[in-house]
Structure formats: structure tokens, C-alpha cells
Amino acid sequence: MTGLVVLALAAAWLFVSARVARCVARAIRRPYVSFISAVFTFLALTILPFVDEIVGRSQFQHLCAQEAAVWASPDAARVIAAKQRISFSDRKGLIFPVREQTSAYIDSATGMVFYSVTSFHTPGGFLMRGGLGMGNSKSCWPETRSEKELGLDIDAMLRRGER
């Protein structure tokens, strides 16, 4: 059912875009300029609902490539028991909403962070938040240096930290 609604809305938007482009073409008296204006008007109106998605996804990918990271202390292998602290914060200055998630692992003995992971989550642009995304969000996590690669057993540390 949702697919049919999306198709109906897309068809209506294309119809409106075509009508506006036709009105622009009629307002211009020179045939060649009229045609070019109609084509550009139609294309501009057609992609207008997706502009924030196009720009926002580019910003999101850049943010993920630059700031999604894993950090590990040189002393991380010495940690025996740990506790986890997860925090969220909203990022400003982007086209659409992005939440930063930081998972910090704290040495129970010293109280110092020995391992942290920074990731990002977004519900998407205007159309995606309005229902086209159907409640899904996009997330990015760091690709390199997992705790397993560092020789850390975070799950075991957390179990010992709960005691």
C-alpha cells in the first residue's frame, strides 16, 4: 500500500512539474529559449524534493569518513574489568539531523577511558523523515581497528566490571 501511495505522489509531483514548466515556456516568446527554459524548469522542479537528501548524504558520508573512529589507549591490554558509557549528541551545521554516538569503555580500577568508538546516525532528509524512509535510519561505524584486532575481549571485561 505504501508503494502505491509513493507512486501516486511521484506521479502528482511530475504532473505539477510538467504544468509549471509548460507555463514558463508559454510566458517566453522565443521558441528556442522557451524550450530550454521549460526543460530546465522541469528538471529543477523534479529534483527539488531530493536536494536536501543529495547534499545531506554527501555531508554524512564525509563526516563518517573523517570522524567515525576507534580509539584505544596503549594500556588497553592491561585492563581487567570495565564499564561502558554510551552518550549521544546532536551535530550542528548539517543539512539534516545527525546524532553522534560515543561508546566509551572505562577501566573499573582507574576510572580512565581505555577504548572508545564514535559512530553517526541519521534519519535522512525531508522526504525520508516524512515517511519515505519508513522509520529506517542510516548509520556509519568505523571500519578499522576493532577490539578483536587489538586483542581485547570487551565482553569479558564488561562481565567482570559488573561484579
Side-chain angles (χ1 to χ4, degrees):
M1 184 67 184
T2 304
L4 293 175
V5 171
V6 169
L7 281 175
L9 289 172
W13 185 255
L14 287 174
F15 177 76
V16 168
S17 298
R19 296 289 287 192
V20 170
R22 189 173 171 189
C23 289
V24 167
R26 284 186 182 163
I28 299 172
R29 301 284 181 220
R30 297 171 51 197
Y32 182 71
V33 175
S34 172
F35 175 75
I36 296 296
S37 298
V39 168
F40 280 119
T41 301
F42 177 75
L43 291 175
L45 288 174
T46 301
I47 66 167
L48 186 64
F50 304 100
V51 169
D52 71 330
E53 192 70 33
I54 294 166
V55 174
R57 289 288 173 190
S58 175
Q59 286 180 334
F60 185 72
Q61 293 300 334
H62 180 72
L63 180 69
C64 290
Q66 297 298 316
E67 297 187 33
V70 172
W71 175 82
S73 166
D75 299 329
R78 296 185 193 147
V79 176
I80 295 171
K83 295 188 185 267
Q84 182 181 24
R85 182 183 68 220
I86 299 174
S87 63
F88 291 92
S89 62
D90 294 329
R91 294 299 295 257
K92 305 292 182 206
L94 301 169
I95 293 286
F96 49 66
V98 174
R99 295 196 79 195
E100 179 178 343
Q101 176 183 348
T102 303
S103 299
Y105 296 88
I106 302 162
D107 184 347
S108 295
T110 65
M112 301 296 288
V113 174
F114 68 92
Y115 182 77
S116 69
V117 179
T118 302
S119 60
F120 298 95
H121 313 280
T122 183
F126 176 75
L127 289 177
M128 294 300 160
R129 289 190 314 268
L132 198 57
M134 292 182 261
N136 293 330
S137 66
K138 179 153 177 64
S139 299
C140 69
W141 298 84
E143 295 179 18
T144 57
R145 291 187 59 197
S146 72
E147 71 270 8
K148 300 294 183 210
E149 292 172 8
L150 296 170
L152 302 175
D153 188 356
I154 297 289
D155 292 332
M157 291 176 185
L158 291 173
R159 280 192 298 274
R160 284 190 292 267
E162 289 176 356
R163 293 184 204 155

